[in-house]
């Protein structure tokens, strides 16, 4: 189940479909992705895990999907964390921890795993927010766009004759697994 405040159901589904292209088993799995949305395709706003009535609604909603669709919701994707905590200061552990614990309670009641999207600092200095977020998480995987390996590219004219060389950088996404409970 995806709960998002930045991208609507259609946009998210289209991105997921593009990622699964070429793999029939992944494409088949797309039918088991569900979205909590307001007003047709809009994102979710105005609900937070600090609100017990939202948590109760979410548990009942997940159970309803499971019953009606005869599936098990194994993962709850929350994108991004800051939109759904209700914390007044994401840098304050005392503000953040109750919201994180509420996510835990919801997931324990429906026996699913949360995947929480949390953005880095805009200055590129990585981790942002309270240490409670990092302490709470079981695994922390970071994605960062970078450019690596300069390649020399030979430019040619319309006749195919070399006209010179230039340097091009290769864009990549660096995936870093920074935390895994108490494992090395």
């Amino acid at each position: 189940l995806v709960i998002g405040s930045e991208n609507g159901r259609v946009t998210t589904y289209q991105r997921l479909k593009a990622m699964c292209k070429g793999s029939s088993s992944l494409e088949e799995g797309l039918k088991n992705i569900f979205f909590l949305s307001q007003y047709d395709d809009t994102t979710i706003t105005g609900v937070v895990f600090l609100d017990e009535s939202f948590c109760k609604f979410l548990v009942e909603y997940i159970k309803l999907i499971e019953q009606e669709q005869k599936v098990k919701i194994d993962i709850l994707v929350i994108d991004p964390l800051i939109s759904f905590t209700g914390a007044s200061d994401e840098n304050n552990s005392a503000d953040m921890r109750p919201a994180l614990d509420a996510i835990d309670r919801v997931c324990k009641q429906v026996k699913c795993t949360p995947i929480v999207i949390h953005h880095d600092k805009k200055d590129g200095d990585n981790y942002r927010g309270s240490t409670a977020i990092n302490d709470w998480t079981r695994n922390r995987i970071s994605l960062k766009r970078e450019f690596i390996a300069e390649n020399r590219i030979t430019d040619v004219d319309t006749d195919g004759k070399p006209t010179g060389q230039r340097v091009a950088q290769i864009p990549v996404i660096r995936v870093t697994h920074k935390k895994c409970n108490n494992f090395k």
Side-chain angles (χ1 to χ4, degrees), residues 138-139 177-184:
R138 299 281 185 233
N139 291 280
H177 191 183
K178 295 193 176 189
K179 179 185 177 190
C180 184
N181 282 355
N182 297 322
F183 297 102
K184 292 181 180 179

Side-chain angles (χ1 to χ4, degrees), residues 160-172:
K161 294 180 183 174
T163 59
Q165 286 193 331
R166 60 187 167 95
V167 174
Q169 293 184 324
I170 301 170
V172 297

Side-chain angles (χ1 to χ4, degrees), residues 50 82 85-97 129-130 132-133:
L50 287 177
I82 194 62
T85 63
S88 57
D89 181 1
E90 77 169 353
N91 295 308
N92 184 317
S93 293
D95 284 352
M96 286 301 295
R97 192 60 201 219
S130 161
I133 300 167

